């Protein structure tokens, strides 16, 4: 299994090699694949929608927060 650091993810976002929506989808698939572990208290139904919103903000240059390198 490939685990990436936040720095690696940030670099891929900046280079356009990935999107937040793609990342969220990958993690949701992992959750579904290992649902028998019952490791999550809550999985948000609107995670994809929020990821799309963040992708739009990132592309427009209006993204803030730790994921985008800002505090």
């Amino acid at each position: 299994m490939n685990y990436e650091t936040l720095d690696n993810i940030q670099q891929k976002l900046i280079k356009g090699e990935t999107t937040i929506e793609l990342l969220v989808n990958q993690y949701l698939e992992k959750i579904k694949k290992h649902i028998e572990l019952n490791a999550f208290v809550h999985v948000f139904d609107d995670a994809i929608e929020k990821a799309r919103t963040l992708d739009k903000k990132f592309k427009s240059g209006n993204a803030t927060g730790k994921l985008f390198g800002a505090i």
Side-chain angles (χ1 to χ4, degrees), residues 20-67:
I20 299 164
E21 183 178 356
L22 179 62
L23 292 167
V24 168
N25 274 319
Q26 288 173 346
Y27 283 104
L28 289 174
E29 287 301 316
K30 287 180 184 182
I31 290 169
K32 287 178 189 176
K33 183 177 177 182
H34 300 288
I35 196 75
E36 74 283 355
L37 296 176
N38 201 24
F40 296 90
V41 174
H42 186 79
V43 177
F44 294 94
D45 296 330
D46 61 346
I48 298 298
E49 182 181 327
K50 287 184 179 184
R52 287 179 184 145
T53 300
L54 286 172
D55 278 330
K56 287 178 187 174
K57 285 183 177 181
F58 181 69
K59 289 177 184 175
S60 70
N62 294 321
T64 60
K66 292 180 182 179
L67 180 62

